[in-house]
Amino acid sequence: MKDMIVHILLAEDNDGDILLTSELIEESPYQCPLTVVKDGAAAVDYLFKKGPYKNAQVPDVIFLDINMPKRSGLEVLKAVKNDPKLMHIPTAILTTSSSTKDKMDAQKLSADFYFTKPLEVIDLEKVIKSIRK
């Protein structure tokens, strides 16, 4: 499992959270190439291979900030889980919010995971272990 390469798409607009997440991934025992997009519209374009992302690699895991410009993480999650080619990808919502409504909305949209920032090693391991190849 540790030799498995897991491509992660991180949709996050906060540079500090991007840095923390990338450092966590670098310190993990897993090989996890990381692609970062900074808003929800770019995440959708990446996932659906539009515009500058026409040759994008389909990620093995998606981490979505819930509050992003252009499209929220929940809007991106809905697009992912409604697409037969993407719906199998484990998707985690990342948020600073402890709102019960946000968590319930994410569950209704079939989020696989819901984590409060900052992401921890144990959270990353849960997501990676959920991948069935």
Side-chain angles (χ1 to χ4, degrees):
M1 180 69 141
K2 289 185 181 184
D3 293 336
M4 183 168 77
I5 296 173
V6 178
H7 177 234
I8 298 173
L9 174 63
L10 172 63
E12 172 63 68
D13 63 317
N14 182 291
D15 289 334
D17 288 336
I18 293 168
L19 181 62
L20 287 172
T21 303
S22 63
E23 286 175 351
L24 171 74
I25 290 168
E26 286 174 13
E27 293 172 7
S28 80
Y30 305 101
Q31 292 184 38
C32 299
L34 178 68
T35 299
V36 177
V37 293
K38 291 196 166 191
D39 63 63
V44 170
D45 286 351
Y46 182 94
L47 290 163
F48 289 90
K49 299 184 177 202
K50 295 180 180 177
Y53 305 107
K54 66 181 179 182
N55 296 316
Q57 177 184 350
V58 175
D60 299 302
V61 174
I62 303 167
F63 287 107
L64 299 170
D65 178 20
I66 204 166
N67 296 309
M68 291 185 288
K70 299 185 183 176
R71 291 182 84 169
S72 74
L74 294 176
E75 290 174 294
V76 177
L77 175 64
K78 184 176 182 178
V80 168
K81 295 304 181 179
N82 284 327
D83 186 273
K85 293 178 184 174
L86 301 174
M87 64 190 332
H88 70 282
I89 301 172
T91 305
I93 294 292
L94 301 176
T95 183
T96 55
S97 169
S98 57
S99 163
T100 303
K101 181 186 180 323
D102 286 345
K103 190 168 189 173
M104 288 176 57
D105 289 345
Q107 288 174 338
K108 286 178 190 172
L109 293 171
S110 301
D112 297 287
F113 301 93
Y114 188 95
F115 300 121
T116 303
K117 293 178 190 178
L119 189 66
E120 301 287 335
V121 172
I122 192 79
D123 300 333
L124 180 62
E125 288 178 354
K126 283 180 191 176
V127 177
I128 291 174
K129 288 178 180 179
S130 76
I131 297 171
R132 306 210 195 304
K133 291 209 173 205

